[in-house]
Amino acid sequence: MKRRTLLAGATAFAAAPAIVRAADKTKIVWWHAMTAALGDQVNHAVEAFNQSQDAVEVTAIYKGGYADVLTATIAAFRAGQAPHLAQIFEVGTGTMLAAGRATKQVWELTKETGVAIDPKTYIPAVRGYYSLADGRMASMPFNSSTAVMWYSKDAFRKAGLDPEKPSTTWDDVVKAAQAIKAKIDADEGKKDADKVMAGIEIPMTSSWLSWIQLEQYSALHDIPFASKADGFEGLDAQLQISSAPHVKHMQRLLDMSKAGTFKYAGRDNQPDQLLVSGKAGIHFNSSGMRGDMVKSAKFDWGEAFLPYDPEIIKSPLNSIIGGASLWTMTAPNRTPDEYKAVAMFLQFLGKPDNDAYWHQHTGYVPVTFGGFELSQQQGFYEKNPGADLPVKQLTRGTVTSNSMGLRLGRLVEIRNIIYEEMEGAFQGKQNAQQAMDNATTRGNKVLREFEKSVKS
């Protein structure tokens, strides 16, 4: 697994459909947040589109991290100088939808320009996050990932667990973490050469605690993270993370922390290196880590579905996405030709060949059925076992109002509140119920402030 080739499969971006040659090209500016190899792939996509036709020229500009792009885009709109396209991370969706005339949503863009972009070609769990409650697509899905359970096959082997049968339920995950800890404890006092679990220090950890252990947990178990269909049906949504299932799961993590089978290692992606370095036996993270695992992991690793609690749901639903989408921005004196050029570029990115190429060269999931099916036909998943697992997890079951995604304003701030309350619990200052009650109260205050700002 660790030597598999991530880039096997699609070979080139597909050409855009033939269009009328223009004497002067319509110029489009795209602000994005992709760096390093991902930035190279953004540039590759732009170059492929520019070379495929003579009417439009797209320029991609790196504007910093996700939060930087959002802040810069809002400021640019207010100054009347917004880019044509902006890559906005998924937690900014609620904010962008509340931006009103600042954006031209995909359904509006296609209606006005006549450039066909069919929402039904996009994977439901992906398009749903970026759509209105009635199904009209607001922004264009671009780089999408979901959360999975990564695990060290070496750790499983050494702990007497079957490395080819990863735990599927939370009860089994707890037992696996206990087995790994028992072997780590047995190594205490031994010389490095005699240690069974050499290099493995932590039974279980998790990046992105709110996204994975609350938001994803809610979707899989078909329980609301917030009322009003997780915010899709109104700005007056209320957080519902103090429910019995949420509290029970958080208490489980607290109990595991006290028992030494789980380590809270920081916010967002701070714990990532515990996975790549092989120090963690079990680690929850984005499926987008596959590229780093292929390139840097020096141990035998595996990828598995997120575990679930069968007493809550017999068959878990789809997970939800992370990543970002592309928003069409408005500006004074922006012409119909410019909007048509934007629509053409978005249509180009969504073609199966181009979606498959992006997926296979970045580690993000394909956002269209066509991109997934083409990757299958090209033998990509045979050469890269497990690379299709995130797609299977995203497409299982039927998407419900609890598994469509979140439509909550100022979600980044709410996540930070959740971190603060959970950190207090991990430090022994409060129990899971108190942490979730406090996070709910504080988070709802943020939601009411956001609601008031939108309506004023």
Side-chain angles (χ1 to χ4, degrees), residues 257-273:
S257 178
K258 292 176 182 178
T261 54
F262 172 78
K263 179 178 181 179
Y264 173 70
R267 300 184 182 187
D268 298 342
N269 65 345
Q270 290 180 19
D272 285 4
Q273 279 305 307

Side-chain angles (χ1 to χ4, degrees), residues 94-407:
T95 299
M96 295 301 289
L97 280 171
R101 62 187 180 86
T103 71
K104 190 177 291 290
Q105 296 180 8
V106 170
W107 69 270
E108 295 176 293
L109 190 69
T110 57
K111 182 178 180 180
E112 292 178 11
T113 64
V115 178
I117 298 174
D118 185 1
K120 294 180 181 178
T121 63
Y122 287 80
I123 292 172
V126 176
R127 73 169 184 256
Y129 207 112
Y130 302 122
S131 296
L132 306 180
D134 60 9
R136 290 177 296 169
M137 203 149 65
S139 61
M140 177 59 59
F142 181 54
N143 58 305
S144 293
S145 61
T146 191
V148 297
M149 186 179 81
W150 299 95
Y151 67 102
S152 166
K153 290 188 176 183
D154 290 340
F156 269 51
R157 240 178 244 110
K158 293 174 181 179
L161 304 168
D162 188 340
E164 303 306 324
K165 293 183 179 180
S167 309
T168 59
T169 69
W170 268 105
D171 283 346
D172 287 342
V173 167
V174 172
K175 291 175 182 176
Q178 291 170 341
I180 294 171
K181 183 179 186 301
K183 290 296 182 181
I184 294 174
D185 291 346
D187 280 345
E188 288 189 11
K190 292 182 180 179
K191 296 180 180 179
D192 288 345
D194 298 327
K195 289 183 177 180
V196 174
M197 305 294 281
I200 302 167
E201 303 174 3
I202 303 166
M204 189 182 93
T205 187
S206 178
S207 291
W208 302 100
L209 206 65
S210 176
W211 181 51
I212 298 176
Q213 304 302 340
L214 284 177
E215 297 165 36
Q216 298 282 1
Y217 186 86
S218 300
L220 261 63
H221 294 87
D222 199 20
I223 54 178
F225 182 88
S227 63
K228 296 288 184 176
D230 285 343
F232 273 77
E233 296 177 355
L235 291 170
D236 55 339
Q238 301 266 358
L239 294 181
Q240 296 187 343
I241 55 175
S242 59
S243 72
H246 290 112
V247 171
K248 182 179 179 181
H249 183 51
M250 288 299 101
Q251 188 62 52
R252 171 165 43 212
L253 295 180
L254 292 177
D255 292 342
M256 291 182 72
S257 178
K258 292 176 182 178
T261 54
F262 172 78
K263 179 178 181 179
Y264 173 70
R267 300 184 182 187
D268 298 342
N269 65 345
Q270 290 180 19
D272 285 4
Q273 279 305 307
L274 296 176
L275 167 64
V276 178
S277 66
K279 292 182 179 179
I282 300 170
H283 184 80
F284 296 94
N285 208 333
S286 167
S287 60
M289 286 294 294
R290 171 169 278 269
D292 286 340
M293 295 297 287
V294 170
K295 180 180 179 181
S296 304
K298 306 302 181 184
F299 60 96
D300 192 13
W301 51 270
E303 186 176 0
F305 293 121
L306 292 173
Y308 70 102
D309 284 317
E311 63 268 27
I312 298 177
I313 193 168
K314 292 182 179 180
S315 298
L317 299 184
N318 62 281
S319 57
I320 56 177
I321 60 170
S325 65
L326 304 183
W327 286 84
T328 303
M329 304 301 299
T330 63
N333 302 318
R334 189 148 287 171
T335 67
D337 283 346
E338 289 175 273
Y339 288 120
K340 184 173 183 179
V342 170
M344 290 169 56
F345 181 56
L346 295 180
Q347 182 191 60
F348 174 83
L349 293 178
K351 289 185 174 298
D353 284 2
N354 301 335
D355 186 30
Y357 186 95
W358 172 261
H359 159 53
Q360 294 175 28
H361 288 71
T362 63
Y364 285 110
V365 300
V367 296
T368 67
F369 288 113
F372 177 53
E373 292 166 358
L374 182 58
S375 295
Q376 286 180 312
Q377 295 169 10
Q378 293 172 336
F380 178 70
Y381 302 122
E382 292 180 7
K383 299 172 184 176
N384 299 271
D388 58 343
L389 185 146
V391 185
K392 291 179 178 178
Q393 185 175 261
L394 281 169
T395 55
R396 70 185 177 193
T398 301
V399 176
T400 73
S401 60
N402 295 322
S403 68
M404 187 179 297
L406 305 180
R407 188 55 50 76

Side-chain angles (χ1 to χ4, degrees), residues 1-66:
M1 178 72 77
K2 61 187 178 184
R3 297 298 181 189
R4 301 287 183 184
T5 304
L6 179 68
L7 306 185
T11 56
F13 268 74
I19 60 172
V20 178
R21 186 182 300 272
D24 296 316
K25 292 184 178 181
T26 301
K27 299 185 184 298
I28 300 300
V29 175
W30 173 19
W31 286 0
H32 69 88
M34 300 281 91
T35 60
L38 293 176
D40 292 340
Q41 290 305 320
V42 164
N43 292 332
H44 179 83
V46 167
E47 290 169 7
F49 174 74
N50 289 341
Q51 292 173 8
S52 70
Q53 42 72 49
D54 297 322
V56 180
E57 181 179 316
V58 176
T59 300
I61 300 175
Y62 171 72
K63 293 294 287 186
Y66 281 141

